[in-house]
Amino acid sequence: MNMQTLHVDLAQRRYPIHVGSGLLTNKELWLPYLRGKQVLVISDENVAPHYLPPIDEALQSDGRQVGQLVLPPGEQEKTMLRFSEALHALAMLRANRDACVVALGGGVVGDLAGFAAACWMRGIDFVQMPTTLLAMVDSSVGGKTAVDLPEGKNLVGAFHQPRAVIADITTLSTLPQRELSAGLAEVVKYGAIFDEGFFAWLEDHTTDLLARRDEVIIEAILRSCQHKANVVARDETEQGDRALLNFGHTFGHALETATEYGSLLHGEAVSIGMLLAARLSAQLGRSTVHDSDRLGALLRRLQLPVELPGGHTPAYLLELMRLDKKSLSGALRLILWRGIGHAEIVRDIPESNVLAVLRA
Ligand code: ADP
Ligand code: ZN
């Protein structure tokens, strides 16, 4: 086992993020985070066959009562219906207040499992075992949990921080390349908004990242999680600068909605969205075209899309951006930048400028 650890420091408590290889098969590492007797493991059909058996075995041999809920894969399963199935699974286990939910999977599993843990008996422990790069660097850290409604993504949810995050990069060996690149988009985001040095490091390591060289992937995850942990510690419930993490996301969510979540992965939509935000910043005279070109080049080298998919009018995309839950009372509020490493919240952006970048 090869492991490094950092912590998320909250007002009430702190929790560890362990990053390394061979972590899930090392039960001494994660069993202590599960306090009670009952454990519900939630996973999906792509992940469970590879990674659930050793976890189940470790739990059984430790004398735990184990429930399993294995969902079909995909965002369309992040529903109220699946959420209530998770609660019923906890009821079947007769889960007590010291029971624990384990989320073994990507962001979909993590969001749903976390929300079930947040609601069962007004909140029980949960442990994140993320298996996608995106979940390792983003959704498993920070305590946002939710399910979707037909009316929109993540509309029902809660802030509920995990007991621990166990990011075992061994699980990335089975992750499709396209999903890996989508996760890299969120990694690039941390460089773009907070850290020019990290951005330059990513520019120097694109080949190793795509080839999943262990040390390089571990470093990318650690540096990303450190930024996320810092911002979550400053602003746990997004009253202030946690919003910077939404760089590229208002554009991205509009694209995801416009394409009906069919053709673009979240990270891919964020890739296009970040470049649009950078171009808008340049157009407003807040940053240079050189920096947006650098961002576009890095994303392209990481095999991410950077162009708007055709078939959607700028006016329609703008309409969807206005509906984004981050824009307050209709006025457009976006995360823009002053250049690589320096994101900022900008209010009252003229719609004509937004339309212009959507047209270009
Ligand atoms: P994300 O983590 O990107 O938010 P998902 O939870 O939807 O999203 O996971 C993306 C896809 O990758 C899903 O189809 C999921 O089943 C699959 N997946 C997750 N982890 C792995 C893994 N380690 N190996 C293979 N497939 C995986
Ligand atoms: Zn995101």
Side-chain angles (χ1 to χ4, degrees), residues 40-63:
L40 175 65
V41 185
I42 304 184
S43 189
D44 79 26
E45 287 166 2
N46 290 335
V47 176
H50 295 289
Y51 308 111
L52 195 133
I55 288 171
D56 185 59
E57 201 175 298
L59 289 168
Q60 304 282 358
S61 68
D62 196 54

Side-chain angles (χ1 to χ4, degrees), residues 8 15 17 23 25 34 50 56-57 84-85 104 106 143 199 203 206 211 276 293 342:
V8 183
Y15 63 88
I17 306 170
L23 308 192
T25 47
L34 319 184
H50 295 289
D56 185 59
E57 201 175 298
S84 72
E85 282 179 26
L104 175 70
F199 191 97
E203 291 177 314
T206 52
L276 289 169
D293 287 349
H342 303 282

Side-chain angles (χ1 to χ4, degrees), residues 8-338:
V8 183
D9 279 294
L10 303 170
Q12 308 296 324
R13 65 183 178 90
R14 71 197 313 235
Y15 63 88
I17 306 170
H18 298 296
V19 183
S21 54
L23 308 192
L24 294 185
T25 47
N26 185 340
K27 62 182 179 184
E28 287 73 24
L29 169 69
W30 51 264
L31 271 174
Y33 294 114
L34 319 184
R35 289 186 296 149
K37 215 156 179 50
Q38 302 103 3
V39 181
L40 175 65
V41 185
I42 304 184
S43 189
D44 79 26
E45 287 166 2
N46 290 335
V47 176
H50 295 289
Y51 308 111
L52 195 133
I55 288 171
D56 185 59
E57 201 175 298
L59 289 168
Q60 304 282 358
S61 68
D62 196 54
R64 311 293 182 115
Q65 292 160 13
V66 186
Q68 293 185 3
L69 179 65
V70 178
L71 306 171
E75 180 81 26
Q76 73 285 350
E77 302 297 329
K78 219 176 86 180
T79 59
M80 290 296 289
L81 191 71
R82 297 297 186 192
F83 165 72
S84 72
E85 282 179 26
L87 297 179
H88 285 297
L90 285 162
M92 297 263 289
L93 263 179
R94 302 185 185 285
N96 296 317
R97 289 212 47 90
D98 64 356
C100 185
V101 177
V102 170
L104 175 70
V108 168
V109 164
D111 281 10
L112 185 131
F115 187 43
C119 294
W120 180 256
M121 293 186 168
R122 300 195 187 85
I124 59 170
D125 287 355
F126 89 114
V127 169
Q128 290 274 18
M129 297 183 176
T131 64
T132 65
L133 181 61
L134 193 126
M136 290 178 189
V137 299
D138 184 19
S139 54
S140 73
V141 177
K144 282 192 182 180
T145 74
V147 297
D148 303 335
L149 292 181
E151 289 82 359
K153 262 180 86 164
N154 294 334
L155 288 179
V156 192
F159 283 99
H160 189 57
Q161 301 285 347
R163 274 286 132 197
V165 180
I166 318 286
D168 184 350
I169 65 155
T170 313
T171 63
L172 298 180
S173 63
T174 51
L175 191 71
Q177 195 69 16
R178 192 176 160 195
E179 297 284 350
L180 186 91
S181 285
L184 287 171
E186 300 276 5
V187 173
V188 169
K189 183 185 77 179
Y190 293 106
I193 63 181
F194 291 135
D195 189 343
E196 183 170 13
F198 184 37
F199 191 97
W201 181 87
L202 292 169
E203 291 177 314
D204 288 340
H205 290 86
T206 52
T207 312
D208 289 338
L209 288 163
L210 289 171
R212 311 174 191 207
R213 258 193 54 207
D214 279 7
E215 321 83 75
V216 176
I217 289 285
I218 289 175
E219 179 158 359
I221 295 169
L222 284 169
R223 291 176 80 161
S224 298
C225 285
Q226 189 62 62
H227 282 298
K228 178 121 192 205
N230 291 348
V231 76
V232 168
R234 287 200 298 271
D235 178 20
E236 187 177 349
T237 56
E238 200 168 315
Q239 310 301 309
D241 67 349
R242 183 166 179 171
L244 297 177
L245 297 175
N246 295 317
F247 184 63
H249 279 61
T250 302
F251 285 108
H253 287 152
L255 289 171
E256 287 180 274
T257 308
T259 54
E260 294 172 338
Y261 299 94
S263 51
L264 287 176
L265 299 177
H266 172 73
E268 294 173 337
V270 168
S271 171
I272 299 168
M274 288 192 293
L275 195 57
L276 289 169
R279 286 187 180 144
L280 178 56
S281 307
Q283 198 196 92
L284 292 169
R286 311 178 79 90
S287 63
T288 63
V289 171
H290 177 256
D291 276 14
S292 38
D293 287 349
R294 240 177 106 185
L295 176 63
L298 176 57
L299 293 168
R300 238 179 258 115
R301 284 173 60 201
L302 294 172
Q303 298 173 9
L304 283 157
V306 290
E307 298 301 334
L308 275 174
H312 311 288
T313 64
Y316 175 56
L317 293 173
L318 178 63
E319 180 62 34
L320 294 174
M321 288 172 69
R322 276 202 220 94
L323 295 174
D324 192 88
K325 67 178 180 312
K326 263 104 205 169
S327 48
L328 306 168
S329 63
L332 263 187
R333 187 188 74 137
L334 293 174
I335 313 303
L336 300 181
W337 73 3
R338 289 278 172 186

